[in-house]
Amino acid sequence: MRIANLSGRLALIADGLAVDVERASAGRFSADPQAVYERWEEFRGWAAQAELPEGAAFDLADLGSPAPAPRQLLAIGLNYRDHASESGFAAPEGLPPVFTKFATSITGPVTDVALPEGGHTDWEVELVAVIGTRAENTTEAAAWGHVAGLAVGQDLSERITQLAGSIPQFSLGKSYPGFTPIGPWLVTPDEFENPDDLGLRATIDGEEVQKGRTRDLIFSVPALIAGLSAVVPLLPGDVIFTGTPAGVGLGRDPQRWLKPGEELVSTIEGIGELRQRFTA
């Protein structure tokens, strides 16, 4: 199953067409895309049995984030060994660094993003997991059962803000307006042959800058959910950015930053792509 936020309304996506959930369910489920996670199991059961009307074509630019207002957004740093190395850090031995991206930075999959003046804005393609049922002190074996679905995420990062001062400002440097695109929709784990092994890729104006596979995560999605939920109860609709592979601008020699007019395309197999065009 694939669900989307289409012009602020919850939709099911099938064969490239969108079905409005509130209308198809005769009001049983709200049009609010974030509200569905509070009734996730009930919604999954309804969607599996419902006789849906014919879907309608839509513009990808009208899609918002499938989780537009999470109560918690947890982002993971240094969760691929090659990215930790290019960033000048040893691979973490315990749970990797955890920070947040503030919710006001969340957008949909196709956007224009204004680059902060005088900044060094970087790219980080990431697999995003959205929680469907509360997870507290869960095990790795049970973790996938708490996941509503997966999406593509882009952890845009303003490195000057992030690294200024003696203590990094991870959350602020990664939370400028438009710096957290998520989408294009949410894909339930049962859609994948192996949800623990998905290919990631990012290009700038067609040039490949990142390529990796989620099987190389130091902490897999289940391991992250188990580790995080041992400290913080994960709530329905919460978002987890799982980390990025090597290839970011910070780790290059010479370093490279996004420029006005460039287009960044972030892709994960079996899910889809994000497209961000940058302006001054």
Side-chain angles (χ1 to χ4, degrees):
M1 183 175 70
R2 298 180 177 219
I3 67 166
N5 172 354
L6 181 57
S7 299
R9 296 182 63 86
L10 179 66
L12 282 166
I13 305 298
D15 299 322
L17 301 176
V19 173
D20 187 279
V21 168
E22 184 185 44
R23 298 185 185 117
S25 69
R28 177 176 173 181
F29 296 99
S30 165
D32 179 3
Q34 191 68 39
V36 72
Y37 301 109
E38 293 292 342
R39 300 169 62 190
W40 183 250
E41 292 301 324
E42 180 186 356
F43 173 73
R44 285 291 312 263
W46 169 81
Q49 301 294 327
E51 294 185 11
L52 298 175
E54 184 177 354
F58 61 94
D59 189 333
L60 291 173
D62 291 332
L63 292 172
S65 166
R71 284 173 287 185
Q72 301 181 109
L73 190 161
L74 298 102
I76 308 301
L78 309 178
N79 202 18
Y80 289 82
R81 296 184 189 281
D82 55 2
H83 175 58
S85 178
E86 73 174 352
S87 301
F89 294 96
E93 295 182 7
L95 195 68
V98 181
F99 54 94
T100 191
K101 290 169 71 71
F102 294 111
T104 53
S105 66
I106 294 175
T107 67
V110 181
T111 57
D112 291 336
V113 181
L115 295 170
E117 185 175 358
H120 289 165
T121 301
D122 207 345
W123 57 88
E124 296 189 10
V125 62
E126 305 198 15
L127 179 69
V128 168
V130 179
I131 299 298
T133 59
R134 181 185 175 105
E136 186 171 4
N137 291 313
T138 193
T139 64
E140 287 189 42
W144 275 117
H146 294 281
V147 176
L150 302 175
V152 186
Q154 178 54 240
D155 178 18
L156 293 169
S157 305
E158 187 5 74
R159 300 300 192 191
I160 292 179
T161 301
Q162 178 187 342
L163 301 175
S166 58
I167 301 175
Q169 291 278 10
F170 275 78
S171 297
L172 282 180
K174 293 167 173 281
S175 295
Y176 283 86
F179 269 36
T180 311
I182 302 172
W185 31 65
L186 193 77
V187 182
T188 52
D190 57 358
E191 291 274 326
F192 302 97
E193 181 177 348
N194 181 359
D196 285 306
D197 184 18
L198 305 176
L200 306 85
R201 184 171 183 260
T203 64
I204 299 174
D205 290 344
E207 176 193 351
E208 184 176 275
V209 290
Q210 284 186 283
K211 186 176 183 179
R213 299 198 68 85
T214 60
R215 68 186 179 211
D216 295 322
L217 284 164
I218 299 172
F219 275 68
S220 66
V221 171
L224 287 173
I225 290 173
L228 293 170
S229 73
V231 180
V232 178
L234 301 176
L235 307 176
D238 281 356
V239 168
I240 302 172
F241 271 67
T242 61
T244 196
V248 302
L250 178 69
R252 293 171 177 267
D253 186 15
Q255 292 178 331
R256 175 177 176 178
W257 315 114
L258 290 162
K259 300 175 182 177
E262 290 183 327
E263 183 180 56
L264 173 67
V265 179
S266 310
T267 307
I268 298 180
E269 68 174 323
I271 303 177
E273 68 179 26
L274 311 176
R275 287 184 175 269
Q276 275 59 59
R277 183 168 290 279
F278 297 93
T279 64

